[in-house]
Amino acid sequence: MHRRELIAALLTGLASACAPNADPVAPAPRGTPRVKSRGEARARLAELAARYEQTMREHGAYEWARYAGKLDEGAEAKRKMAALRAAERDVFVEARGILRRFGEAIVSPRRADMWMRGAFGLDLLGDPRASELADELEAVINSHRYELDGRVLTSAEILDMRRSDDPRVRRRTRQLDHQLHLKCVPIATELVARRRALARELGKPSYWAALLEVRGVKVATLERHFNALDRGTRRPFFQTLAAGRARAFGRPLLFPWDLDHRVKELAPIPEARFAAEAALPTAYRLYRAFGADLENLGVTIRDFAFGGQTIAVQVPDDVRLVVRPLSGLKFYALLIHELGHAFAATRTRTNEPLYKAYEWIPGLVDPAFAEGVAETFSRMLDVPAVLTRFVGLSADDAAAVARRRKLETLVGIRRSLVAISFERSSLERDGNLDQIALDAERRFSGTIVPRDAEPVWAASAMLATYPVYVQSYMLAAMMALQVRAALSARFGTESVSEKAGAWLAERLVSDGARWTLDEKLVATTGSVLDSSELLRYLITP
Ligand SMILES: [Zn+2]
């Protein structure tokens, strides 16, 4: 997933390949599998792995059609999706049954781990009521049109409003978000409550902790990174963003809706140099320099619930993108990010279906790793030499863009802290979710959240469709900086080159999900995931 963060025109050449569920999965046999020996159990698991991949292909085609606006979202589509989810669940429930009966040693530890985590991930995410609510919430967000004075606003226009020099316009953006929030809040509240109840039914102390572990992250590890980034970025955040500002309680007098404008004011960039029509060709050029031709993928540019979504319908040779139309630097970063997911999927060389990192079953993909690969490429926009070479900027303009990227990252880290903290609290305890959200914002955003600030937490498709995912972006930024340092150490001034691209393809992505994020990072950078490179980057003026 990628996927989101950012935000129409159609360039796709794959329309004919998109009909979802052209070849529906036959109903899986229910009940105890009739396997009698370890050998039969092993063979059955291999069949289930092939069946798993078939469901992933159908699921990917369905999601692509939905996001690309090519799905007739009626009762028939819903019924097909429900049947597909049931088929996926049958695969994992049967595999878990086999492993419990014959012992996990009948397959490699990694495979056993993925089967068990996938089964548990579906217990957590496959709950029919929660899925229904999540779909409903996403549909509300998808169909919502932001309106101001009777006119519909595009994503790009709202982004401009967030950066407006007029504080009243900036304040309006919060109210616009709040309008969507009000539509979403009844469904979102029930969804969060259902997830909390589900954890209790499964005997787990917390839905959040349980799903976090399914997603490959230990609670203690996340807490360590969270605290390191919170502490380590406070001073540069306040020093930079407070420069010349009035203060209240030691903090710059900034409201949450002022942040994007403040970043623009402190680090102006030549936005006109980032023409929307040049974004895709520029992104392709960057990947070509890494030795990767990604120009044959279908890219649909369209306003939808997420920033972007790269869908691997079949790894490695059917990968499609849907991306929100934006303008300027953010659109470049978004496209390069999404194509980074495509780089990973198209360079995966494993034949084992479980290792192909399809994203539809939690536990079968490590999202921090997937996002980290995408950010490894997108974060090349931090590097002045890359900006001069690929965007054609002057040295001065490149330095200005590099500075903007750093400030945006400082702000982005604090937004991640708010989102992680809110999601954790909301899933761990009962309470007034509006209040929990505003408390998290007060504690971690680095801004002054006034008493009349409207809650906006429910207006997020991430919460609905990708619960306990948002920490992945923070971890991905850490990984990207760590990999960038390793690229510099190994390739020096040739960090963007065919050699470097081949190395990334081979070492980082070719074996798919065969290894964990930490194992991959030890192999490529010499150490497990660590915040020190990201902190070093953010602290250096
Ligand atoms: Zn992504």
Side-chain angles (χ1 to χ4, degrees):
M1 170 170 74
H2 306 302
R3 311 161 184 201
R4 7 232 124 214
E5 186 190 78
L6 330 190
I7 316 274
L10 263 88
L11 308 168
T12 178
L14 282 170
S16 61
C18 73
N21 299 342
D23 181 17
V25 175
R30 295 202 172 251
T32 313
R34 299 209 289 163
V35 290
K36 299 192 195 75
S37 66
R38 288 165 61 93
E40 282 178 22
R42 235 178 253 123
R44 180 63 186 157
L45 283 176
E47 282 169 24
L48 288 172
R51 191 178 174 81
Y52 155 75
E53 187 166 22
Q54 174 62 23
T55 62
M56 292 301 96
R57 280 199 286 267
E58 294 183 23
H59 199 135
Y62 179 95
E63 297 289 1
W64 178 81
R66 200 158 69 89
Y67 291 133
K70 297 185 185 302
L71 182 73
D72 185 3
E73 293 194 53
E76 178 61 11
K78 272 190 175 171
R79 192 194 59 74
K80 278 188 177 173
M81 194 60 204
L84 185 57
R85 280 177 175 151
E88 291 168 2
R89 211 179 153 87
D90 286 345
V91 167
F92 280 86
V93 167
E94 185 180 339
R96 177 162 62 191
I98 291 173
L99 289 168
R100 281 180 177 163
R101 196 167 141 215
F102 292 93
E104 295 191 11
I106 60 171
V107 286
S108 69
R110 181 66 170 165
R111 285 188 180 86
D113 181 51
M114 292 181 97
W115 281 124
M116 298 306 276
R117 273 197 296 147
F120 183 51
L122 287 173
D123 290 342
L124 290 168
L125 264 181
D127 173 66
R129 181 61 189 146
S131 297
E132 214 178 338
L133 288 163
D135 289 349
E136 217 180 303
L137 185 54
E138 202 184 314
V140 169
I141 294 169
N142 260 326
S143 64
H144 179 73
R145 296 291 167 261
Y146 288 93
E147 280 184 35
L148 189 63
D149 305 327
R151 202 175 67 78
V152 174
L153 299 166
T154 64
S155 304
E157 286 171 325
I158 294 175
L159 199 59
D160 287 343
M161 285 176 68
R162 295 189 199 284
R163 294 181 189 151
S164 166
D165 292 329
D166 183 343
R168 288 165 306 181
V169 172
R170 303 199 295 267
R171 184 71 184 83
R172 288 302 294 272
T173 63
R174 180 79 170 205
Q175 290 153 353
L176 287 170
D177 290 337
H178 182 61
Q179 282 171 15
L180 176 56
H181 168 86
L182 289 176
K183 278 194 200 172
C184 295
V185 81
I187 311 168
T189 303
E190 193 183 341
L191 177 59
V192 170
R194 176 64 202 137
R195 286 176 175 152
R196 279 197 307 256
L198 189 60
R200 285 193 295 272
E201 288 164 21
L202 294 166
K204 298 289 167 186
S206 150
Y207 186 91
W208 183 81
L211 189 48
L212 188 71
E213 298 234 353
V214 166
R215 297 208 188 278
V217 187
K218 297 212 179 317
V219 173
T221 307
L222 182 63
E223 283 174 346
R224 185 159 48 81
H225 297 322
F226 184 105
N227 291 332
L229 288 170
D230 181 25
R231 279 196 304 268
T233 62
R234 256 171 204 269
R235 186 192 288 266
F237 181 91
F238 289 129
Q239 277 178 347
T240 321
L241 288 136
R245 294 291 284 211
R247 285 169 174 261
F249 310 107
R251 292 184 177 192
L253 199 47
L254 275 177
F255 299 117
W257 41 86
D258 291 332
L259 281 172
D260 293 319
H261 173 258
R262 184 67 176 149
V263 166
K264 184 188 90 170
E265 184 179 59
L266 286 168
I269 56 163
E271 280 282 352
R273 298 304 307 276
F274 293 89
E277 61 276 12
L280 201 48
T282 304
Y284 288 146
R285 257 201 322 278
L286 175 66
Y287 281 95
R288 266 206 305 276
F290 278 113
D293 180 357
L294 300 178
E295 289 166 45
N296 296 320
L297 307 172
V299 180
T300 304
I301 300 184
R302 175 176 187 264
D303 245 328
F304 72 127
F306 297 112
Q309 181 88 2
T310 301
I311 296 168
V313 176
Q314 181 166 325
V315 175
D317 37 41
D318 183 357
V319 178
R320 312 173 194 177
L321 287 77
V322 184
V323 183
R324 246 187 222 199
L326 282 180
S327 58
L329 175 60
K330 276 207 193 300
F331 190 47
Y332 283 60
L334 171 61
L335 278 175
I336 299 171
H337 175 100
E338 295 303 326
L339 287 168
H341 289 301
F343 177 92
T346 55
R347 268 115 193 109
T348 299
R349 291 290 170 262
T350 175
N351 291 318
E352 167 57 74
L354 295 180
Y355 297 161
K356 292 190 182 183
Y358 292 106
E359 66 165 300
W360 312 114
I361 310 289
L364 275 280
V365 63
D366 179 334
F369 177 76
E371 300 302 343
V373 173
E375 280 298 290
T376 294
F377 292 101
S378 191
R379 291 221 149 260
M380 289 292 162
L381 292 172
D382 302 341
V383 181
V386 171
L387 293 162
T388 51
R389 179 174 161 198
F390 294 94
V391 190
L393 299 185
S394 67
D396 284 351
D397 284 349
V401 171
R403 178 168 159 73
R404 165 72 77 92
R405 296 268 306 165
K406 191 168 292 198
L407 287 191
E408 284 182 344
T409 309
L410 266 176
V411 169
I413 293 288
R414 302 228 72 83
R415 287 181 171 147
S416 294
L417 297 172
V418 172
I420 295 165
S421 166
F422 166 70
E423 192 173 34
R424 177 175 190 172
S425 301
S426 71
L427 290 168
E428 282 187 347
R429 55 185 161 93
D430 297 340
N432 177 331
L433 295 173
D434 286 355
Q435 197 54 50
I436 290 172
L438 292 168
D439 286 349
E441 199 175 7
R442 290 199 170 98
R443 189 152 169 219
F444 294 110
S445 73
T447 63
I448 305 289
V449 181
R451 291 168 66 97
D452 67 352
E454 299 85 354
V456 293
W457 64 270
S460 159
M462 289 295 294
L463 174 86
T465 315
Y466 292 90
V468 197
Y469 192 98
V470 72
Q471 72 286 339
S472 311
Y473 296 106
M474 185 178 87
L475 302 175
M478 289 164 49
M479 174 177 150
L481 271 288
Q482 196 172 329
V483 173
R484 187 157 85 202
L487 279 174
S488 294
R490 178 172 283 263
F491 299 101
T493 55
E494 291 182 69
S495 290
V496 180
S497 64
E498 290 189 17
K499 278 188 304 190
W503 184 78
L504 287 170
E506 167 69 25
R507 297 291 192 91
L508 213 53
V509 301
S510 68
D511 51 7
R514 170 70 184 83
W515 306 100
T516 66
L517 181 154
D518 276 341
E519 287 164 343
K520 295 239 192 190
L521 286 184
V522 167
T524 50
T525 74
S527 68
V528 298
L529 184 65
D530 184 275
S531 58
S532 58
E533 288 297 338
L534 178 58
L535 283 169
R536 195 191 334 272
Y537 163 71
L538 290 171
I539 289 163
T540 313

